[in-house]
Amino acid sequence: MEKKTVVGLDFGNFNSFASYISDIDAETRMGGIANDLIPPHLLEGIPSVYFYSERAGELCGEEAVRSKAKPEKNRLRYLKRHLGETIMLDDKEVSYDRAITKVIQHCIRRANKQLEARFLITTNLVSLSYPATYTCAQRQRLIELAEEATLEDGTKVEVFGTIAEPAAAALDYLAEFAKTDKDTTILTYDLGGGTFDLALVAAYPKGRKRQTGETYYYDIINARGISKLGGVEFDDVMYKLLAAKANTSLNNNESDALKKLAETTKVELSTSFDGLPQLAVGGEYVDLPVTREEFESASRGLLLQTIEETKKILQAHPNQQPEIILLTGGASQMPMVKNELVQSFPEYKGKIIYFRPSRAIAYGAARFGAAEGDDDVRSGMSIVQQRTIYDIGVRFYNSVDDKVGHIFTYISAGTPIPTNGKYYTSTTLHERQRFSRFSVYEANKSNPDEENVYQDYQEIMYVKLDHEDEVPVGTKSETKLSIDKLGRLTIEARDPSKPDKPPIKNSVALKNLS
């Protein structure tokens, strides 16, 4: 049996980490040694930054934050928030999608240099983590962008597996520290640079059987979060606090300097009760005294949003309560995070622990890849059971006068993946209809109202079926949704009157990526 070498990649909003798990237990899929695959001088990670200027061209990672990467406004950050978007840099339209591919490529090439130097191996296989709040379309697009990257010899990168970021952190903890024969469940609270994610994950050391007979050892029971709530939002709170203390209008350079000062001051207040940052304003330095209490009071509303999400995921699974709550992600190290969790969940006092805030996700993604890296599981079921987060369905209309329609659920929340759905029948509503368009929607909340299309759902892709002729009202079509092992969603559409014609599934268009 050939063992695959798989790099785990935490492509972060602020910094990225790559890792490799060596000597993992082939039977239990536990243990092993976690190895960083980043240059030794980048202990805080590879900056997830892309830069472009007409003079310097494209720069990525650490090169994109050095002095030659000027002007600073041309440095693109928080790339995962901007899937599908473009921006003008030096009169050139630059795609965030290209920026993502280039930064991922930079990270994988750096990882391979470390692999070759230390283990005499290289690989094009990547186990990729993604935000728990990503829709199927966003996850699918991230896979596509990663697979546009190449190694230095031109070999294409292949995404070997995908796992939600907080689930990866939980997997890292369970694989290394839950060395017991009993089932163990934990909750990951991941407050990172750009997103807030949660995951409820169980480890089954003796394994559990699927209905199909395969064994799995880890179960991602649920994952959820808030897509645009992370360290950057807390930085913005600090920026506004300091700007008010400056008590004057700031020019662009001063405003940029204050943004950096806000970030460093927020970090400083994690270990100090007060700070005295200084900002150069109009040629003179101005003191901006600020206390931890001020900052925590101003940002409490953000923190309480994370607490509410935590309550929801625990309430949704009353029979699967975790033994501990893991805190990971850089922003989770703010003292008020643990303090508020202890107050809100007193039953977990002494069971809320910090766990590798920077590296747990990368290590977990690598463990996922290492556990999956045998030929016998590559083509079969995963030893990690992943599930859909929200309902996924297709939008239909009751009549030609129905302007809103409703969502018919094809794949329910919590469905184990991979899943191969069944065909559903629908009919045309118009006379002389040549095409039928089937739009796929994913819910943005638990227990959505299928009639509340615009508020409770988001369109993520569609496929257009060509009937090859103008057909009458009531002509039947069949559609189904399926999700593969990587989490890629496919919609198939076919005309049941043409059984020899393969279903349409290649003209799928992804939507609402940002």
Side-chain angles (χ1 to χ4, degrees), residues 41-116:
H41 64 284
L42 294 175
L43 293 179
E44 298 303 313
I46 298 173
S48 304
V49 181
Y50 171 90
F51 173 87
Y52 172 80
S53 74
E54 187 176 359
R55 177 183 61 83
E58 291 182 305
L59 300 172
C60 292
E62 63 273 27
E63 297 292 325
V65 296
R66 291 178 177 164
S67 57
K68 62 182 178 181
K70 293 288 181 67
E72 290 191 17
K73 66 180 180 64
N74 286 26
R75 299 175 185 177
L76 301 186
R77 301 177 185 270
Y78 304 104
L79 303 178
K80 288 188 295 187
R81 287 189 170 191
H82 299 283
L83 280 172
E85 294 182 17
T86 59
I87 188 173
M88 296 300 296
L89 300 177
D90 285 6
D91 298 323
K92 178 181 178 180
E93 187 176 58
V94 175
S95 163
Y96 273 94
D97 286 4
R98 177 177 175 83
I100 290 170
T101 295
K102 287 294 184 180
V103 173
I104 289 177
Q105 177 174 279
H106 180 80
C107 293
I108 297 303
R109 290 183 178 185
R110 284 283 189 271
N112 266 289
K113 286 183 178 180
Q114 296 294 313
L115 269 177
E116 189 169 28

Coordinates of all heavy atoms in Angstrom, one line a residue, residues 41-116:
H41 N 12.6 31.7 9.4 CA 12.5 33.2 9.8 C 11.1 33.7 9.8 O 10.8 34.9 10.1 CB 13.4 34.0 8.9 CG 12.9 34.0 7.5 ND1 13.2 33.0 6.6 CD2 12.3 35.0 6.7 CE1 12.7 33.2 5.4 NE2 12.1 34.4 5.5
L42 N 10.1 32.8 9.5 CA 8.7 33.2 9.4 C 7.9 32.4 10.4 O 6.9 31.8 10.1 CB 8.1 33.0 8.0 CG 8.7 33.9 6.9 CD1 8.1 33.4 5.5 CD2 8.5 35.3 7.1
L43 N 8.3 32.5 11.7 CA 7.6 31.7 12.7 C 6.2 32.2 12.9 O 5.4 31.4 13.4 CB 8.4 31.9 14.1 CG 9.8 31.2 14.1 CD1 10.5 31.5 15.4 CD2 9.7 29.8 13.8
E44 N 5.8 33.4 12.6 CA 4.5 33.9 12.7 C 3.6 33.5 11.5 O 2.5 34.0 11.4 CB 4.4 35.4 13.0 CG 5.1 35.8 14.2 CD 4.5 35.1 15.5 OE1 3.3 35.1 15.6 OE2 5.3 34.6 16.3
G45 N 4.2 32.8 10.6 CA 3.5 32.4 9.4 C 3.8 33.2 8.2 O 4.5 34.2 8.2
I46 N 3.4 32.7 7.0 CA 3.7 33.4 5.7 C 2.5 34.4 5.6 O 1.4 34.0 5.6 CB 3.7 32.4 4.6 CG1 4.8 31.4 4.7 CG2 3.8 33.1 3.2 CD1 4.8 30.3 3.7
P47 N 2.8 35.7 5.4 CA 1.8 36.7 5.2 C 0.9 36.3 4.1 O 1.3 36.1 3.0 CB 2.5 38.0 5.0 CG 3.9 37.8 5.7 CD 4.2 36.3 5.4
S48 N -0.4 36.3 4.3 CA -1.4 36.0 3.2 C -1.7 37.3 2.4 O -2.8 37.8 2.4 CB -2.7 35.4 3.8 OG -2.4 34.3 4.6
V49 N -0.7 37.8 1.8 CA -0.7 39.1 1.2 C -0.3 39.0 -0.3 O 0.7 38.3 -0.6 CB 0.2 40.2 1.9 CG1 0.0 41.5 1.3 CG2 -0.2 40.2 3.4
Y50 N -1.0 39.7 -1.1 CA -0.6 39.8 -2.6 C -0.4 41.2 -2.9 O -1.2 42.1 -2.5 CB -1.8 39.2 -3.4 CG -1.6 39.4 -4.9 CD1 -0.9 38.5 -5.7 CD2 -2.2 40.5 -5.5 CE1 -0.8 38.7 -7.1 CE2 -2.1 40.7 -6.9 CZ -1.4 39.8 -7.7 OH -1.3 40.0 -9.0
F51 N 0.6 41.5 -3.6 CA 0.9 42.9 -4.0 C 1.1 43.0 -5.5 O 1.6 42.1 -6.2 CB 2.2 43.4 -3.4 CG 2.7 44.7 -3.8 CD1 2.2 45.9 -3.2 CD2 3.6 44.8 -4.9 CE1 2.6 47.1 -3.7 CE2 4.0 46.1 -5.4 CZ 3.5 47.2 -4.7
Y52 N 0.6 44.1 -6.1 CA 0.8 44.3 -7.5 C 1.1 45.8 -7.7 O 0.3 46.7 -7.2 CB -0.3 43.9 -8.4 CG -0.1 44.4 -9.9 CD1 0.7 43.7 -10.7 CD2 -0.7 45.6 -10.3 CE1 1.0 44.2 -12.0 CE2 -0.5 46.0 -11.6 CZ 0.4 45.3 -12.4 OH 0.6 45.8 -13.7
S53 N 2.1 46.1 -8.5 CA 2.3 47.5 -9.0 C 2.9 47.4 -10.4 O 3.5 46.4 -10.7 CB 3.2 48.3 -8.1 OG 4.5 47.9 -8.2
E54 N 2.7 48.4 -11.2 CA 3.3 48.4 -12.5 C 4.8 48.3 -12.5 O 5.5 47.7 -13.3 CB 2.9 49.7 -13.3 CG 3.3 49.7 -14.7 CD 2.8 51.0 -15.5 OE1 2.1 51.8 -14.8 OE2 3.1 51.1 -16.6
R55 N 5.4 48.9 -11.4 CA 6.9 49.0 -11.3 C 7.4 47.6 -10.8 O 8.3 47.1 -11.4 CB 7.3 50.1 -10.4 CG 8.8 50.1 -10.1 CD 9.1 51.2 -9.1 NE 8.5 51.0 -7.8 CZ 9.0 50.2 -6.9 NH1 10.2 49.5 -7.1 NH2 8.4 50.0 -5.8
A56 N 6.8 47.1 -9.7 CA 7.4 45.9 -9.1 C 6.8 44.6 -9.6 O 7.3 43.5 -9.4 CB 7.2 46.0 -7.6
G57 N 5.6 44.7 -10.3 CA 4.9 43.5 -10.7 C 4.2 42.8 -9.6 O 3.8 43.4 -8.6
E58 N 4.1 41.4 -9.6 CA 3.4 40.6 -8.6 C 4.4 40.2 -7.5 O 5.5 39.7 -7.8 CB 2.8 39.4 -9.2 CG 1.6 39.7 -10.1 CD 1.0 38.4 -10.7 OE1 1.7 37.6 -11.2 OE2 -0.2 38.2 -10.5
L59 N 4.0 40.3 -6.3 CA 4.7 39.9 -5.1 C 3.8 39.1 -4.2 O 2.6 39.5 -4.0 CB 5.4 41.0 -4.4 CG 6.4 41.8 -5.2 CD1 6.9 43.0 -4.4 CD2 7.6 41.0 -5.6
C60 N 4.3 38.1 -3.5 CA 3.4 37.3 -2.6 C 4.1 37.0 -1.3 O 5.3 37.0 -1.2 CB 3.0 35.9 -3.3 SG 2.0 36.1 -4.7
G61 N 3.3 36.8 -0.3 CA 3.8 36.4 1.0 C 4.7 37.4 1.6 O 4.3 38.6 1.6
E62 N 5.8 37.0 2.1 CA 6.7 37.9 2.8 C 7.2 39.0 1.9 O 7.5 40.1 2.3 CB 7.9 37.1 3.5 CG 8.8 36.4 2.5 CD 8.3 35.0 2.2 OE1 7.1 34.7 2.3 OE2 9.1 34.1 1.8
E63 N 7.3 38.7 0.6 CA 7.8 39.7 -0.4 C 6.8 40.8 -0.5 O 7.2 41.9 -0.9 CB 8.0 39.0 -1.8 CG 9.1 37.9 -1.8 CD 10.5 38.5 -1.6 OE1 10.7 39.7 -2.0 OE2 11.3 37.9 -0.9
A64 N 5.5 40.5 -0.3 CA 4.5 41.5 -0.5 C 4.3 42.5 0.7 O 3.5 43.4 0.6 CB 3.1 40.8 -0.7
V65 N 5.1 42.3 1.7 CA 5.0 43.2 2.9 C 6.4 43.9 3.1 O 6.6 44.5 4.2 CB 4.5 42.5 4.1 CG1 3.1 42.0 4.0 CG2 5.5 41.3 4.5
R66 N 7.3 43.7 2.2 CA 8.6 44.3 2.4 C 8.6 45.7 1.8 O 7.7 46.1 1.1 CB 9.7 43.4 1.8 CG 10.0 42.2 2.6 CD 11.0 41.2 2.0 NE 11.2 40.1 2.9 CZ 11.8 39.0 2.6 NH1 12.2 38.8 1.3 NH2 11.9 38.0 3.4
S67 N 9.7 46.4 1.9 CA 9.8 47.8 1.6 C 9.6 48.0 0.1 O 9.1 49.1 -0.3 CB 11.1 48.4 2.0 OG 12.2 47.7 1.4
K68 N 10.0 47.1 -0.8 CA 9.8 47.3 -2.2 C 8.3 47.1 -2.6 O 8.0 47.5 -3.8 CB 10.7 46.3 -3.0 CG 10.3 44.8 -2.7 CD 11.3 43.9 -3.5 CE 11.0 42.4 -3.3 NZ 11.9 41.6 -4.0
A69 N 7.5 46.6 -1.7 CA 6.1 46.5 -2.0 C 5.4 47.8 -1.7 O 4.6 47.9 -0.7 CB 5.4 45.3 -1.3
K70 N 5.6 48.8 -2.4 CA 5.0 50.1 -2.2 C 4.3 50.6 -3.5 O 4.8 50.3 -4.6 CB 6.1 51.2 -1.9 CG 6.8 50.9 -0.5 CD 5.8 51.2 0.6 CE 6.5 51.0 2.0 NZ 7.6 52.0 2.3
P71 N 3.2 51.3 -3.4 CA 2.6 51.8 -2.2 C 1.8 50.7 -1.5 O 1.4 49.7 -2.0 CB 1.6 52.9 -2.8 CG 1.2 52.3 -4.1 CD 2.4 51.7 -4.7
E72 N 1.7 50.9 -0.2 CA 1.0 49.9 0.7 C -0.4 49.7 0.3 O -0.9 48.6 0.6 CB 1.1 50.3 2.2 CG 2.6 50.3 2.7 CD 2.6 50.4 4.2 OE1 1.6 50.3 4.9 OE2 3.7 50.7 4.7
K73 N -1.1 50.7 -0.3 CA -2.5 50.5 -0.6 C -2.6 49.4 -1.7 O -3.8 48.9 -1.9 CB -3.1 51.8 -1.1 CG -2.5 52.3 -2.4 CD -3.2 53.6 -2.8 CE -2.7 54.2 -4.1 NZ -2.9 53.3 -5.3
N74 N -1.6 49.0 -2.4 CA -1.6 48.0 -3.4 C -1.4 46.6 -2.8 O -1.4 45.6 -3.5 CB -0.6 48.2 -4.5 CG -0.9 49.4 -5.4 OD1 -1.7 50.2 -5.0 ND2 -0.4 49.3 -6.6
R75 N -1.3 46.5 -1.5 CA -1.2 45.2 -0.8 C -2.6 44.7 -0.5 O -3.4 45.3 0.2 CB -0.4 45.3 0.5 CG 1.0 45.8 0.3 CD 1.8 46.0 1.6 NE 3.1 46.5 1.4 CZ 3.9 46.8 2.4 NH1 3.5 46.7 3.7 NH2 5.1 47.3 2.2
L76 N -2.9 43.5 -1.1 CA -4.3 43.0 -0.9 C -4.2 41.9 0.3 O -3.4 41.0 0.3 CB -4.8 42.3 -2.1 CG -4.9 43.1 -3.4 CD1 -5.5 42.3 -4.5 CD2 -5.7 44.4 -3.1
R77 N -5.1 42.1 1.2 CA -5.2 41.2 2.4 C -6.6 40.7 2.5 O -7.5 41.0 1.7 CB -4.9 42.0 3.7 CG -3.5 42.7 3.7 CD -3.3 43.5 5.0 NE -2.0 44.2 5.0 CZ -0.9 43.7 5.5 NH1 -0.9 42.5 6.0 NH2 0.2 44.4 5.5
Y78 N -6.8 39.8 3.5 CA -8.1 39.2 3.7 C -8.7 38.6 2.4 O -9.9 38.9 2.1 CB -9.1 40.2 4.4 CG -8.5 40.7 5.7 CD1 -7.9 42.0 5.8 CD2 -8.4 39.9 6.8 CE1 -7.3 42.5 6.9 CE2 -7.8 40.4 8.0 CZ -7.3 41.7 8.0 OH -6.7 42.1 9.2
L79 N -7.9 37.9 1.7 CA -8.3 37.5 0.4 C -9.5 36.6 0.3 O -10.3 36.6 -0.6 CB -7.1 36.7 -0.3 CG -5.8 37.5 -0.3 CD1 -4.7 36.7 -0.9 CD2 -6.0 38.8 -1.1
K80 N -9.7 35.7 1.4 CA -10.8 34.8 1.3 C -12.2 35.5 1.4 O -13.2 34.9 1.1 CB -10.7 33.8 2.5 CG -9.6 32.8 2.3 CD -9.6 31.7 3.4 CE -9.3 32.2 4.7 NZ -9.2 31.2 5.8
R81 N -12.2 36.7 1.9 CA -13.4 37.5 1.9 C -13.8 38.0 0.5 O -14.9 38.6 0.4 CB -13.3 38.7 2.9 CG -13.3 38.3 4.3 CD -13.3 39.6 5.2 NE -13.5 39.2 6.6 CZ -13.9 40.2 7.5 NH1 -14.0 41.4 7.2 NH2 -14.0 39.8 8.8
H82 N -13.0 37.9 -0.4 CA -13.2 38.6 -1.7 C -13.2 37.7 -2.9 O -12.8 38.1 -4.0 CB -12.1 39.7 -1.9 CG -12.2 40.8 -0.8 ND1 -13.1 41.8 -0.8 CD2 -11.4 41.0 0.3 CE1 -12.9 42.6 0.3 NE2 -11.8 42.1 0.9
L83 N -13.6 36.4 -2.7 CA -13.7 35.5 -3.9 C -14.5 36.2 -5.0 O -15.6 36.7 -4.7 CB -14.4 34.2 -3.4 CG -13.5 33.2 -2.7 CD1 -14.5 32.1 -2.2 CD2 -12.5 32.6 -3.6
G84 N -14.0 36.1 -6.2 CA -14.8 36.5 -7.3 C -14.7 38.0 -7.6 O -15.3 38.5 -8.6
E85 N -14.1 38.8 -6.7 CA -14.0 40.3 -6.9 C -12.8 40.7 -7.6 O -11.8 40.0 -7.8 CB -14.1 40.9 -5.5 CG -15.3 40.7 -4.7 CD -15.3 41.5 -3.4 OE1 -14.5 42.4 -3.2 OE2 -16.1 41.1 -2.5
T86 N -12.8 41.9 -8.1 CA -11.7 42.5 -8.8 C -11.4 43.9 -8.1 O -12.3 44.5 -7.5 CB -11.9 42.7 -10.3 OG1 -13.0 43.5 -10.5 CG2 -12.0 41.3 -10.9
I87 N -10.2 44.4 -8.4 CA -9.9 45.8 -7.8 C -8.9 46.4 -8.8 O -8.1 45.7 -9.5 CB -9.2 45.6 -6.4 CG1 -9.0 47.0 -5.8 CG2 -7.9 44.8 -6.5 CD1 -8.6 46.9 -4.3
M88 N -8.9 47.7 -8.9 CA -8.0 48.4 -9.8 C -6.7 48.8 -9.0 O -6.8 49.4 -8.0 CB -8.6 49.7 -10.3 CG -9.9 49.5 -11.2 SD -9.5 48.5 -12.7 CE -8.3 49.6 -13.5
L89 N -5.6 48.3 -9.5 CA -4.3 48.7 -9.0 C -3.4 49.2 -10.1 O -3.1 48.5 -11.1 CB -3.6 47.4 -8.3 CG -4.4 46.8 -7.2 CD1 -3.6 45.5 -6.7 CD2 -4.6 47.7 -6.0
D90 N -3.0 50.4 -10.0 CA -2.1 51.1 -11.0 C -2.8 50.9 -12.4 O -2.1 50.5 -13.4 CB -0.7 50.4 -11.0 CG 0.1 50.9 -9.9 OD1 -0.4 51.6 -9.0 OD2 1.3 50.6 -9.8
D91 N -4.1 51.3 -12.4 CA -4.8 51.3 -13.7 C -5.0 49.9 -14.3 O -5.3 49.8 -15.5 CB -4.2 52.2 -14.7 CG -4.2 53.7 -14.2 OD1 -5.2 54.1 -13.6 OD2 -3.2 54.4 -14.5
K92 N -4.8 48.9 -13.5 CA -4.9 47.5 -14.0 C -6.0 46.8 -13.2 O -5.9 46.9 -11.9 CB -3.6 46.7 -14.0 CG -3.8 45.3 -14.5 CD -2.5 44.5 -14.4 CE -2.6 43.0 -14.8 NZ -1.4 42.3 -14.8
E93 N -6.9 46.1 -13.8 CA -7.9 45.3 -13.1 C -7.3 44.0 -12.6 O -6.8 43.2 -13.4 CB -9.1 45.0 -13.9 CG -10.3 44.4 -13.1 CD -11.5 44.2 -14.0 OE1 -11.4 43.5 -15.0 OE2 -12.6 44.7 -13.6
V94 N -7.2 43.9 -11.3 CA -6.6 42.7 -10.6 C -7.6 41.9 -10.0 O -8.5 42.4 -9.3 CB -5.5 43.2 -9.6 CG1 -5.0 41.9 -8.9 CG2 -4.4 43.9 -10.3
S95 N -7.6 40.6 -10.2 CA -8.6 39.6 -9.7 C -8.1 39.1 -8.3 O -7.0 38.7 -8.2 CB -8.7 38.5 -10.7 OG -9.4 37.4 -10.0
Y96 N -9.0 39.2 -7.3 CA -8.7 38.5 -6.0 C -8.5 37.0 -6.2 O -7.7 36.4 -5.5 CB -9.8 38.8 -5.0 CG -9.7 40.1 -4.3 CD1 -10.3 41.3 -4.7 CD2 -8.9 40.2 -3.1 CE1 -10.2 42.5 -4.0 CE2 -8.8 41.4 -2.4 CZ -9.4 42.5 -2.9 OH -9.3 43.7 -2.2
D97 N -9.2 36.4 -7.2 CA -9.0 35.0 -7.4 C -7.6 34.7 -7.8 O -7.0 33.7 -7.3 CB -10.0 34.5 -8.5 CG -11.5 34.4 -8.0 OD1 -11.7 34.9 -6.8 OD2 -12.3 34.0 -8.7
R98 N -7.0 35.5 -8.7 CA -5.6 35.3 -9.0 C -4.7 35.5 -7.8 O -3.8 34.7 -7.6 CB -5.2 36.2 -10.2 CG -3.8 36.1 -10.5 CD -3.4 37.0 -11.7 NE -1.9 37.0 -12.0 CZ -1.4 36.0 -12.7 NH1 -2.1 35.1 -13.2 NH2 0.0 36.0 -12.9
A99 N -5.0 36.5 -7.0 CA -4.2 36.7 -5.8 C -4.2 35.5 -4.9 O -3.2 35.1 -4.3 CB -4.8 37.9 -5.1
I100 N -5.4 34.9 -4.8 CA -5.5 33.7 -3.9 C -4.7 32.5 -4.5 O -3.9 31.9 -3.7 CB -7.0 33.2 -3.8 CG1 -7.8 34.2 -3.0 CG2 -7.1 31.8 -3.2 CD1 -9.3 34.0 -3.0
T101 N -4.8 32.3 -5.8 CA -4.0 31.3 -6.4 C -2.5 31.5 -6.2 O -1.7 30.6 -5.8 CB -4.3 31.1 -7.9 OG1 -5.6 30.7 -8.1 CG2 -3.3 30.2 -8.6
K102 N -2.0 32.8 -6.4 CA -0.6 33.1 -6.3 C -0.1 32.9 -4.9 O 1.0 32.4 -4.6 CB -0.4 34.5 -6.8 CG -0.5 34.7 -8.3 CD 0.6 33.9 -9.0 CE 0.6 34.1 -10.5 NZ 1.7 33.4 -11.1
V103 N -0.9 33.3 -3.9 CA -0.5 33.2 -2.5 C -0.4 31.7 -2.1 O 0.5 31.2 -1.4 CB -1.3 34.0 -1.5 CG1 -1.0 33.7 -0.1 CG2 -1.2 35.5 -1.8
I104 N -1.4 30.9 -2.5 CA -1.4 29.5 -2.2 C -0.2 28.8 -2.9 O 0.5 28.0 -2.3 CB -2.7 28.8 -2.6 CG1 -3.9 29.3 -1.7 CG2 -2.6 27.3 -2.7 CD1 -5.3 28.7 -2.1
Q105 N 0.0 29.2 -4.1 CA 1.2 28.7 -4.8 C 2.5 29.0 -4.1 O 3.4 28.1 -3.9 CB 1.2 29.2 -6.2 CG 2.4 28.8 -7.1 CD 2.3 29.3 -8.5 OE1 1.6 28.7 -9.3 NE2 2.9 30.4 -8.8
H106 N 2.6 30.2 -3.6 CA 3.8 30.6 -2.9 C 4.0 29.8 -1.6 O 5.1 29.3 -1.3 CB 3.6 32.1 -2.5 CG 4.8 32.7 -1.7 ND1 6.0 33.1 -2.3 CD2 4.9 32.9 -0.4 CE1 6.8 33.5 -1.4 NE2 6.2 33.4 -0.2
C107 N 2.9 29.5 -0.9 CA 2.9 28.7 0.3 C 3.3 27.3 0.0 O 4.1 26.7 0.8 CB 1.6 28.7 1.0 SG 1.1 30.4 1.7
I108 N 2.7 26.7 -1.0 CA 3.0 25.3 -1.3 C 4.5 25.1 -1.8 O 5.1 24.1 -1.5 CB 2.0 24.8 -2.4 CG1 0.6 24.8 -1.9 CG2 2.4 23.3 -2.8 CD1 0.4 24.0 -0.6
R109 N 4.9 26.1 -2.6 CA 6.3 26.0 -3.0 C 7.3 26.1 -1.9 O 8.3 25.4 -1.8 CB 6.6 27.1 -4.1 CG 5.9 26.8 -5.4 CD 6.3 27.8 -6.5 NE 5.6 27.5 -7.7 CZ 5.8 28.2 -8.9 NH1 6.7 29.3 -8.8 NH2 5.3 27.9 -10.0
R110 N 7.0 27.0 -0.9 CA 7.8 27.2 0.3 C 7.8 25.9 1.1 O 8.8 25.4 1.6 CB 7.3 28.3 1.2 CG 7.6 29.7 0.6 CD 9.1 30.0 1.0 NE 9.4 31.4 0.7 CZ 9.8 31.9 -0.5 NH1 9.9 31.1 -1.5 NH2 10.1 33.2 -0.6
A111 N 6.6 25.2 1.2 CA 6.4 24.0 1.9 C 7.3 22.9 1.3 O 7.9 22.1 2.0 CB 5.0 23.6 2.0
N112 N 7.3 22.8 0.0 CA 8.1 21.8 -0.7 C 9.6 21.9 -0.5 O 10.3 20.9 -0.4 CB 7.7 21.7 -2.2 CG 6.6 20.7 -2.5 OD1 6.8 19.5 -2.4 ND2 5.4 21.2 -2.8
K113 N 10.0 23.2 -0.4 CA 11.5 23.4 -0.1 C 11.8 22.8 1.2 O 12.9 22.2 1.4 CB 11.8 24.9 -0.2 CG 11.8 25.4 -1.7 CD 12.2 26.9 -1.7 CE 12.3 27.4 -3.1 NZ 12.7 28.8 -3.2
Q114 N 10.9 23.0 2.2 CA 11.2 22.5 3.5 C 11.1 21.0 3.5 O 11.9 20.3 4.2 CB 10.2 23.1 4.5 CG 10.2 24.6 4.7 CD 11.6 24.9 5.4 OE1 12.0 24.4 6.4 NE2 12.2 26.0 4.9
L115 N 10.1 20.4 2.8 CA 10.0 18.9 2.7 C 11.2 18.3 2.1 O 11.7 17.3 2.6 CB 8.7 18.6 1.8 CG 7.4 18.4 2.5 CD1 6.3 18.1 1.4 CD2 7.4 17.3 3.5
E116 N 11.7 18.9 1.0 CA 12.8 18.4 0.3 C 14.1 18.4 1.2 O 14.9 17.5 1.3 CB 13.1 19.1 -1.0 CG 14.1 18.5 -1.9 CD 14.1 19.0 -3.3 OE1 13.8 20.2 -3.4 OE2 14.5 18.3 -4.2

